[in-house]
């Protein structure tokens, strides 16, 4: 089991930055000079000297007058514009007795979706809060359960134990799925447990791991909802708002709110379909519903809202398929060896097979030029994966991991079923896997942009805002404090 791996968390792990290249701006176009009939001027049309002189004089006078007027308006407006002082310290609470954090997840909200349509409510949080300017970096693998639990614990999947949405325990042979609620699977200490440990109340409206009875957290019916995807988004928002109608000592100081969209649409149609635009607009309306409800109760400026996604999304299609059966001339990979296919290939050969030999033979075939799309899959022993992925220090991780090129998928055998849609789970260095981070509240500076960072840093941000001691994790307290305003 991977429980012993938690003992190595004494040092913090810094996120790996990915260079971003801005595209060059196009050269400005050159306009043609046209006569009053719309055709280019003829070289035979020569105005007289007097007309030229008068025209130049008039143009000079007009230009001079315009310059003087512009200068007057510019300097006068600059001198009269109000000076907005730079915020340097935390804003005091006006109504609440202690800080309250609402952590919102919009599943599959790829960075850039906020520009697909008008999102006035999301942009209100951005304008008056702090944003990861080029997006939040998910952990690897960029899947829903590993990332939600990394956000909740500050741990990489190798340390919190949820290494995939589905996997098999190599010792017991038991299978983990997204319905597994036994605490033995869920390592680390999630935020709701940390909050309760300090004598406060926490409330979770859907979040992977929140239904697990673990430590001091028993998922109380008043404050914990068991997942039900059919619950309308409006009901979820209204339930969270209702917590602020409780007596002050019963208001949870930490709350989660989860929406399945736009991940649901992204898988079905890819990231560029009009359905994504509609889903994003709906999420924005839910953020507006939350803001209006908090304003009605007079607590909007007191409450900290942190809005994130768990991963991005990329389009996939038939022409981007790699089939394991095509490797048969070099090595046969039976179905029962494979724990996951795409976009994370995970293989656990049975006893008697050398993982290193399997990797060598697979790579020989993939690089031979005889396997269709083979060069878009790289296979590693897990200990040889790039260190920046932090995906080795757990027995739950199979010994052979394949990294699939962006937008490609791995399957066992050829079929005629349609494959076009969207997927995630790829290397977190791909920009398409990035999601959003927006922090709005007393300890987030207004209008601030910060560089991209990994989501394991969010745990320490929240414990710092709540002024409680967090559990050991892979984030950095100093990094979290660099994002937040000092008290």
């Amino acid at each position: 089991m991977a429980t012993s791996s938690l003992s190595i968390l004494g040092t913090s792990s810094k996120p790996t930055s990915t260079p971003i290249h801005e595209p060059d701006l196009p050269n400005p176009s050159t306009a043609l000079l046209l006569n009053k009939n719309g055709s280019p001027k003829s070289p035979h049309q020569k105005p007289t000297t007097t007309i030229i002189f008068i025209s130049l004089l008039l143009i000079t006078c007009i230009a001079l007058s315009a310059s003087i007027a512009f200068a007057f308006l510019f300097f006068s407006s600059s001198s009269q514009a109000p000076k907005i002082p730079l915020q340097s310290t935390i804003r005091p609470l006006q109504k609440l007795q202690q800080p309250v954090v609402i952590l919102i997840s919009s599943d599959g909200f790829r960075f850039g979706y906020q520009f697909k349509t008008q999102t006035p409510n999301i942009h209100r949080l951005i304008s008056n809060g702090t944003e990861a300017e080029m997006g939040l970096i998910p952990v690897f693998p960029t899947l829903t359960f590993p990332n939600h639990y990394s956000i909740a614990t500050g741990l990489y999947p190798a340390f919190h134990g949820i290494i995939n949405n589905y996997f098999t325990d190599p010792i017991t042979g038991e299978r983990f799925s997204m319905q597994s609620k036994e605490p033995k699977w869920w390592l680390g200490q999630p935020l709701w447990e940390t909050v309760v440990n300090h004598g406060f109340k926490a409330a979770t409206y859907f979040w992977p791991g929140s239904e697990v009875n673990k430590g001091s957290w028993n998922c109380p019916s008043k404050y914990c909802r068991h997942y039900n995807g059919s619950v309308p988004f409006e009901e979820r928002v209204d339930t969270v708002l209702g917590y602020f109608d409780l007596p002050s000592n019963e208001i949870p100081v930490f709350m989660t709110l989860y929406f399945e969209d736009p991940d649901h649409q992204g898988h079905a149609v890819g990231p560029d379909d009009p359905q994504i635009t509609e889903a994003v607009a709906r999420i924005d309306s839910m953020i507006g519903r939350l803001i209006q409800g908090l304003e009605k109760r007079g607590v909007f400026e007191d409450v900290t809202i942190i809005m994130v996604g768990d991963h991005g999304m990329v389009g996939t299609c038939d022409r981007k398929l790699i089939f394991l059966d095509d490797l048969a001339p070099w090595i046969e990979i039976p179905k029962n060896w494979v724990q996951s296919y795409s976009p994370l290939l995970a293989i656990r050969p049975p006893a008697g097979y050398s993982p290193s030999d399997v990797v060598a033979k697979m790579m020989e075939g993939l690089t031979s030029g005889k396997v269709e799309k083979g060069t878009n899959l790289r296979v590693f022993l897990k200990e040889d994966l790039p260190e920046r992925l932090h995906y080795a220090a757990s027995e739950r991780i199979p010994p052979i991991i394949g990294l699939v090129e962006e937008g490609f998928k791995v399957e066992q055998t050829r079929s005629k079923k349609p494959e076009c849609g969207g997927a995630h789970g790829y290397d977190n260095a791909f920009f398409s896997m990035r999601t959003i981070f927006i922090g709005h509240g007393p300890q987030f500076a207004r209008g601030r942009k910060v560089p991209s960072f990994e989501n394991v840093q969010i745990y320490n941000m929240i414990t710092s805002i709540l002024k409680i001691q967090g559990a050991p994790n892979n984030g950095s307290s100093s990094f979290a404090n660099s994002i937040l305003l000092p008290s």
Side-chain angles (χ1 to χ4, degrees):
M1 297 292 286
T3 308
S4 61
S5 63
L6 289 172
S7 62
I8 69 171
L9 298 178
T11 59
S12 56
S13 178
K14 295 184 179 180
T16 304
S17 60
T18 304
I20 300 164
H21 303 285
E22 298 287 352
D24 293 330
L25 294 176
N27 291 327
S29 59
T30 303
L32 291 174
L33 293 177
L34 303 178
N35 64 17
K36 63 181 180 180
N37 295 319
S39 57
K41 286 195 175 199
S42 167
H44 301 294
Q45 294 175 328
K46 297 181 179 180
T48 62
T49 304
T50 303
I51 294 175
I52 293 176
F53 177 77
I54 293 173
S55 299
L56 290 175
L57 183 61
L58 287 172
I59 291 171
T60 302
C61 292
I62 292 171
L64 183 60
S65 300
S67 299
I68 294 171
F70 176 79
F72 174 78
L73 290 172
F74 177 81
F75 288 110
S76 62
S77 62
S78 298
S79 62
Q80 295 173 9
K83 302 294 183 182
I84 301 175
L86 292 175
Q87 185 182 342
S88 58
T89 58
I90 184 173
R91 299 186 292 277
L93 301 180
Q94 300 297 319
K95 191 168 183 179
L96 296 176
Q97 294 182 358
Q98 62 267 330
V100 173
V101 175
I102 302 176
L103 177 62
I104 304 171
S105 169
S106 180
D107 201 321
F109 199 114
R110 173 174 166 169
F111 180 76
Y113 279 2
Q114 67 269 37
F115 305 114
K116 275 189 170 290
T117 186
Q118 290 187 354
T119 52
N121 301 297
I122 292 174
H123 276 86
R124 179 177 177 184
L125 297 181
I126 293 173
S127 299
N128 294 286
T130 297
E131 178 192 28
E133 188 170 19
M134 298 305 291
L136 180 68
I137 303 172
V139 296
F140 179 82
T142 53
L143 297 168
T144 296
F145 267 50
N147 272 276
H148 275 96
Y149 205 54
S150 284
I151 293 169
T153 61
L155 298 171
Y156 292 112
F159 302 113
H160 65 53
I162 310 303
I163 55 100
N164 204 320
N165 288 339
Y166 302 91
F167 60 91
T168 301
D169 186 291
I171 298 175
T172 66
E174 294 177 273
R175 183 75 170 163
F176 173 87
S177 74
M178 292 187 284
Q179 288 73 45
S180 299
K181 304 297 187 295
E182 299 85 359
K184 64 183 178 182
W185 297 110
W186 305 81
L187 311 179
Q189 187 180 106
L191 281 159
W192 44 86
E193 185 180 348
T194 302
V195 167
V196 171
N197 285 347
H198 286 80
F200 295 107
K201 288 182 170 58
T204 57
Y205 210 122
F206 305 161
W207 200 278
S210 64
E211 300 171 37
V212 178
N213 294 332
K214 182 175 174 299
S216 58
W217 176 256
N218 61 357
C219 190
S221 58
K222 184 177 180 179
Y223 295 109
C224 176
R225 295 295 192 276
H226 287 254
Y227 181 71
N228 180 356
S230 66
V231 177
F233 290 177
E234 291 82 359
E235 183 177 330
R236 306 179 195 190
V237 172
D238 292 347
T239 298
V240 168
L241 289 171
Y243 292 134
F244 292 93
D245 299 328
L246 297 171
S248 58
N249 63 335
E250 294 185 25
I251 298 175
V253 302
F254 174 70
M255 311 175 195
T256 69
L257 183 58
Y258 170 81
F259 304 114
E260 294 87 353
D261 294 352
D263 182 72
H264 173 73
Q265 295 83 358
H267 281 290
V269 297
D272 302 315
D273 192 270
Q275 289 186 40
I276 297 295
T277 305
E278 295 172 7
V280 169
R282 182 156 188 246
I283 293 298
D284 184 74
S285 70
M286 291 303 103
I287 299 302
R289 189 182 186 97
L290 178 67
I291 292 173
Q292 291 167 14
L294 294 174
E295 287 181 323
K296 180 180 178 180
R297 292 162 174 81
V299 296
F300 174 58
E301 291 299 335
D302 281 5
V303 173
T304 296
I305 296 175
I306 296 177
M307 182 177 179
V308 299
D310 52 346
H311 53 71
M313 187 69 66
V314 69
T316 60
C317 205
D318 283 332
R319 61 185 176 84
K320 295 184 176 181
L321 293 177
I322 304 161
F323 303 101
L324 294 183
D325 284 353
D326 289 353
L327 292 172
W330 295 270
I331 183 172
E332 291 189 9
I333 307 294
K335 291 181 180 180
N336 60 1
W337 289 19
V338 183
Q339 291 203 1
S340 68
Y341 285 94
S342 279
L344 170 67
L345 177 63
I347 298 174
R348 189 181 294 278
Y353 288 85
S354 165
S356 59
D357 288 346
V358 173
V359 168
K361 290 177 181 178
M362 289 184 70
M363 286 303 299
E364 183 181 352
L366 291 169
T367 58
S368 67
K370 299 177 181 179
V371 174
E372 184 179 355
K373 307 292 191 300
T375 56
N376 295 288
L377 170 64
R378 292 175 297 154
V379 185
F380 299 82
L381 292 173
K382 66 180 181 181
E383 57 266 28
D384 295 334
L385 284 167
E387 290 185 12
R388 61 181 176 77
L389 297 178
H390 306 281
Y391 201 65
S394 173
E395 291 181 345
R396 295 179 181 179
I397 300 173
I400 299 172
I401 299 296
L403 298 183
V404 188
E405 188 62 37
E406 184 178 26
F408 283 78
K409 296 176 70 177
V410 176
E411 294 189 356
Q412 185 71 39
T413 189
R414 295 178 182 274
S415 69
K416 295 182 179 180
K417 65 180 181 179
E419 295 289 347
C420 290
H424 55 88
Y426 300 93
D427 189 334
N428 63 355
F430 292 136
F431 197 81
S432 61
M433 293 297 102
R434 290 199 186 182
T435 181
I436 57 170
F437 173 88
I438 306 164
H440 181 284
Q443 213 160 331
F444 285 107
R446 299 185 190 276
R448 184 183 178 196
K449 308 295 183 185
V450 298
S452 297
F453 58 90
E454 285 188 315
N455 63 19
V456 293
Q457 304 291 355
I458 294 173
Y459 177 93
N460 287 330
M461 284 186 208
I462 293 176
T463 57
S464 180
I465 292 169
L466 297 178
K467 298 179 171 58
I468 58 177
Q469 179 63 46
N473 62 85
N474 295 122
S476 164
S477 295
S478 59
F479 178 87
N481 291 331
S482 74
I483 301 295
L484 301 172
L485 293 170
S487 300

